[in-house]
Amino acid sequence: MGQKKSASSKSRDLEKLLARFRVTEGKRFHLNDIDPGDTAGVDKDFAKAAHASGIERLAGLQERLYAEDRQGVLVIFQAMDAAGKDGAIDYVFSGVNPLGFQVFSFKQPSSEELDHDFLWRTSRSLPERGRIGVFNRSYYEEVLIVRVHPEILAGQRIPGSVISKSIWEERLGDIAAFERYFSRQGFLILKFFLHVSRDEQKARFLSRLDEPEKNWKFALADVRERGHWDDYMKAYDEAIRATASEHAPWHVVPADHKWFTRYVVSETIIAALEGLKLAFPEPAIAPQQIATARKELAKS
């Protein structure tokens, strides 16, 4: 009592906290079991202080990932509007080298994209080996917004013969198979659902209206989508249940408190990258050549 925790004890506590929001087996998952306002007893000041070391740790891991050039990382963010995706991405990855980092945002499909299968537009944006790729929304939109608004499906130029009553289960199966394939090629997949409550979303929308500098973030369509809240929650619940796995886990992170969301996302990504056992490649120059190079540089 009253003594500081050891490093190993803190590590176990963090591992337990992250596991609390990680979903690898969908059959036991229910979205209602996650409280959007939960902070798991974490102190706000502690979480913010951890950000400084987190930036340094993530930057170092990314550097090794890029140098090794054998593995790649795909990070997917999904959420309801105003849950804080953009802010979390900016905050968590603020210290990484742009050379090995890419962010793609997916909105309404273009005419060209509609001429392909539903995975095509995201597939061509997948990260290369050695890089971290972030999807701000993703192929999951095809089993979320399209499911909530079936009129969108009607405009996707898909032959009627392949639109069955089980199309959502089929698409979820295709996504799960794609993620299994991508993982087998040496890519780490991390999926985050930032779980904001309806009340907190309303408060954030009102803030966008009340503060002129935030007006640009607001769209009337966002308010109208609130009328489909229950449908979206059902769609998310089923998507997570159908596609959660050990090789492509979901992390359902409470999002009513942005500081806590960012803390969990940051520590989850860092822990996953540490698990890759990344290492710098052997130097191309031999030790004796280093001494020779030093002498030649001294003369030049």
Side-chain angles (χ1 to χ4, degrees), residues 214-227:
K214 292 184 178 181
N215 286 173
W216 66 274
K217 293 184 176 182
F218 186 81
L220 189 57
D222 296 340
V223 176
R224 292 171 178 163
E225 285 298 282
R226 282 172 57 80

Side-chain angles (χ1 to χ4, degrees), residues 78-89:
Q78 292 287 157
M80 296 293 285
D81 292 316
K85 296 191 313 304
D86 294 353
I89 293 169

Side-chain angles (χ1 to χ4, degrees), residues 53-86:
S53 64
I55 289 176
E56 185 176 345
R57 289 156 62 204
L58 184 55
L61 288 162
Q62 184 222 12
E63 185 180 9
R64 291 197 289 275
L65 177 76
Y66 184 79
E68 187 184 66
D69 196 26
R70 295 178 66 86
Q71 304 176 86
V73 181
L74 173 63
V75 185
I76 293 174
F77 285 89
Q78 292 287 157
M80 296 293 285
D81 292 316
K85 296 191 313 304
D86 294 353

Side-chain angles (χ1 to χ4, degrees), residues 105-118 120-122 124-125 142 152 155-157:
S105 296
F106 298 97
K107 301 185 184 298
Q108 184 175 342
S110 67
S111 179
E112 179 189 19
E113 290 167 344
L114 289 174
D115 275 337
H116 293 80
D117 63 274
F118 81 89
W120 180 78
R121 68 171 181 157
T122 48
R124 60 181 183 156
S125 298
E142 297 296 328
I152 298 176
Q156 290 190 339
R157 307 173 191 171

Side-chain angles (χ1 to χ4, degrees), residues 11 15 23 30 47 56 131 134 144-145 152 183 192 207 246 276 292 297:
S11 178
E15 184 178 345
V23 185
H30 296 284
E56 185 176 345
R131 287 176 168 81
V134 174
L144 296 169
I145 188 171
I152 298 176
S183 173
F192 293 94
S207 175
E246 289 287 348
L276 296 180
T292 301
L297 283 170

